[in-house]
Amino acid sequence: MKAMSTNNENPQKASRPFDLNRDGFIMGEGSGVLVIESLEHAQARGAHIYCELAGYAATCDAFHITQPDPEGKGATRAMRAAGNRVDYAELPGGQKALTAVIQEAYIQGVSTRSVDDLVKAMGAGGIAGVLSLIGGLLLLHRRLFDSRIRKTSSFADIGILAIIVLQLILGIGTIFVSAQHLDGHEMTKFMTWTQKIVTFRAGAAEEIADVALIFKLHMFLGLTIFVLFPFTRLVHMLSAPIRYVLRPGYQIVRSRRRHPAE
């Protein structure tokens, strides 16, 4: 079958089915018993119910004796037969659990049911983005054209606000591109890219090499804001008004309004 691991020199790391450098499985000993019974029978004998099996599906793509079809056809048929609702997927022990195959099968077989959710998310995000853009433009206008505020504003104050406004414009622009990829395929690329960035894994750039330019600009500007914010007024978002709550007294401010003499 040629499915066994050849990492005999390092047996502690030979079994790694989900590792990037996996090379097969190892033989082992063990057994388990799965008891499936009707809900009424389990309740009648007072058994602890771990889960409910609402349905299942199983297929065999007959592509290779150990390897799955590179297009995920078998997994796709199984997921569709399961009613497009998958809570658990069993990966055969003789197969290398190829991440790309599982992702493609999930996209083609399951995520189509989430088109309405994606449209709702884009709609809600678009509304929030437009409102934020209006607020950002108002703030930027005050910074630039209100002489009093302009005089007390530094280059960093104006610059970071301009970058945020540009980021909002790019973010709204990505909605129109995302509307052309409602199958979720592009989303999985960003998910994998994020995972590799957070876990400091190599190859993150390759995951998004073929995405639209507006996505790349949006991500680059977002990371730029992340780098710059400690040196701007944005750093105050990490502060909390503890001193204000615990202040010993109140400040009395004289009003400029004239009150009629009593």
Side-chain angles (χ1 to χ4, degrees):
M1 293 176 62
K2 298 182 178 180
M4 299 288 292
S5 172
T6 58
N7 194 8
N8 298 322
E9 294 77 12
N10 194 6
Q12 292 81 5
K13 296 183 179 181
S15 179
R16 44 184 179 175
F18 295 96
D19 192 86
L20 180 64
N21 300 316
R22 58 190 175 271
D23 63 342
F25 70 95
I26 62 174
M27 298 296 291
E29 297 180 356
S31 64
V33 177
L34 177 64
V35 178
I36 302 178
E37 58 184 326
S38 66
L39 178 62
E40 295 76 11
H41 187 275
Q43 291 175 336
R45 67 184 185 88
H48 176 74
I49 301 174
Y50 291 93
C51 65
E52 179 183 6
L53 180 61
Y56 77 97
T59 60
C60 180
D61 53 23
F63 174 78
H64 185 268
I65 190 172
T66 59
Q67 299 299 321
D69 187 287
E71 298 180 1
K73 295 179 180 180
T76 299
R77 292 197 303 270
M79 292 180 179
R80 286 176 176 170
N84 283 356
R85 177 181 176 181
V86 179
D87 298 314
Y88 174 79
E90 174 66 23
L91 305 177
Q95 294 181 354
K96 297 179 181 179
L98 303 177
T99 304
V101 173
I102 300 303
Q103 286 183 347
E104 184 67 21
Y106 176 82
I107 294 168
Q108 298 297 330
V110 180
S111 63
T112 52
R113 78 184 192 277
S114 302
V115 172
D116 291 340
D117 296 335
L118 290 175
V119 173
K120 292 177 182 177
M122 289 189 297
I127 294 174
V130 170
L131 294 177
S132 299
L133 179 60
I134 293 173
L137 289 174
L138 290 174
L139 290 175
L140 184 60
H141 182 271
R142 291 185 62 197
R143 288 281 182 189
L144 294 175
F145 300 103
D146 189 302
S147 58
R148 180 179 60 85
I149 299 178
R150 178 65 182 270
K151 188 175 182 180
T152 58
S153 298
S154 64
F155 175 79
D157 295 335
I158 300 175
I160 195 65
L161 189 54
I163 293 176
I164 292 176
V165 169
L166 179 58
Q167 177 73 330
L168 288 169
I169 295 174
L170 289 174
I172 295 173
T174 60
I175 296 177
F176 302 98
V177 182
S178 298
Q180 303 174 18
H181 302 279
L182 295 179
D183 58 357
H185 190 271
E186 295 294 291
M187 185 181 299
T188 59
K189 296 180 181 179
F190 298 127
M191 291 166 55
T192 306
W193 176 83
T194 304
Q195 291 173 354
K196 290 188 175 182
I197 291 294
V198 174
T199 57
F200 300 101
R201 293 165 54 192
E206 288 77 2
E207 299 295 339
I208 58 172
D210 59 343
V211 300
L213 177 61
I214 191 170
F215 286 120
K216 296 178 181 179
L217 294 175
H218 188 52
M219 297 164 69
F220 174 78
L221 209 56
L223 293 175
T224 302
I225 294 174
F226 178 78
V227 173
L228 294 179
F229 94 92
F231 310 100
T232 65
R233 293 180 188 268
L234 290 179
V235 74
H236 295 300
M237 70 180 184
L238 302 178
S239 62
I242 299 178
R243 180 67 181 274
Y244 177 80
V245 176
L246 302 177
R247 67 192 186 282
Y250 295 88
Q251 180 180 6
I252 299 177
V253 181
R254 179 183 299 174
S255 174
R256 294 183 178 181
R257 293 181 297 178
R258 296 184 178 181
H259 300 277
E262 298 181 356

